[in-house]
Amino acid sequence: MQREWNVVIDWAPFLLDPSIPIEGKTHEPRNKPGSLLTERGSRLGIEFRSGRTFTPNSLLALQASAFARDFGSTVQQLEFHKAMFKAHFTDVYNLSDRTILNNLGATVGLDGSALNDVLTSEHYLELVKDEIDWTRKISVTSIPTFIFENQYAVVGAQEYEVLEQVAANIGVKRRKNPDNNQLENS
């Protein structure tokens, strides 16, 4: 969308289940084959691995995302989020594991050593907590939630055309010459 429309994407942290302890929690398997989530994901090219029995606390991953926002290009930020989504939903990795987050960061060109340092020091912890409070204050209750102009929300995984329609309806301009390098230059 950022390549085709005059928008800037910013990722805001959100804890879907704030009751998950920092060490994560075990549970009965979820996302069973044939569920609405797995079928919709399949149509969109997203694989949700079935049978997960552990849910990590995502606070460390949200701190890693804040690092990517501050030190990565727009492309690196997008690729880092894609890598984390795949690691969590498809590969069933524990995103509360610092080593996994460092490796994911390094695969998209982020400085893995610097990422490790900020995760170890919890440099972004208070910032992330403040941003989580902000998402709650503006009534975000599920992910993804797309917020346009800080006032229009589209909740849930939507087809791209829905986001285009919202952008057009609120007066966002389509770029005259979409450039694949648009993201690299951000």
Side-chain angles (χ1 to χ4, degrees):
M1 182 149 210
Q2 193 167 349
R3 184 178 11 244
E4 296 180 8
W5 292 82
N6 192 21
V7 297
V8 174
I9 307 294
D10 188 18
W11 299 81
F14 180 77
L15 288 174
L16 190 57
D17 182 354
S19 72
I20 296 175
I22 202 71
E23 66 276 3
K25 72 177 181 182
T26 58
H27 50 74
E28 293 297 314
R30 297 183 185 155
N31 294 337
K32 296 179 179 161
S35 73
L36 181 61
L37 178 66
T38 57
E39 288 192 16
R40 185 169 192 190
S42 180
R43 285 193 310 272
L44 297 172
I46 302 167
E47 179 186 354
F48 292 98
R49 184 70 44 93
S50 301
R52 174 187 304 278
T53 59
F54 176 78
T55 299
N57 179 296
S58 60
L59 200 53
L60 199 63
L62 294 172
Q63 293 173 69
S65 176
F67 172 85
R69 178 178 60 204
D70 283 354
F71 294 100
S73 68
T74 301
V75 169
Q76 287 171 317
Q77 291 175 59
L78 292 170
E79 292 303 315
F80 186 59
H81 280 92
K82 286 181 192 177
M84 285 197 299
F85 294 152
K86 182 181 181 297
H88 179 74
F89 292 111
T90 304
D91 301 331
V92 193
Y93 289 157
N94 177 355
L95 290 187
S96 62
D97 183 317
R98 186 177 296 111
T99 301
I100 289 171
L101 294 170
N102 293 338
N103 290 341
L104 293 173
T107 64
V108 301
L110 296 173
D111 182 336
S113 176
L115 176 56
N116 185 59
D117 290 346
V118 300
L119 294 178
T120 301
S121 70
E122 297 184 332
H123 175 79
Y124 285 101
L125 182 59
E126 290 307 313
L127 172 70
V128 166
K129 287 181 176 180
D130 289 346
E131 291 177 342
I132 290 169
D133 288 344
W134 175 79
T135 59
R136 293 242 181 249
K137 285 178 186 170
I138 64 166
S139 300
V140 173
T141 58
S142 66
I143 54 174
T145 297
F146 303 92
I147 301 170
F148 291 82
E149 301 292 327
N150 287 323
Q151 57 185 331
Y152 305 103
V154 176
V155 179
Q158 301 290 329
E159 301 292 336
Y160 179 64
E161 293 75 21
V162 171
L163 302 176
E164 285 186 307
Q165 187 63 50
V166 172
N169 286 347
I170 64 172
V172 175
K173 301 295 182 201
R174 187 180 281 275
R175 295 185 190 279
K176 290 180 183 176
N177 297 311
D179 181 1
N180 287 337
N181 294 322
Q182 177 67 36
L183 298 179
E184 282 104 19
N185 297 327
S186 300

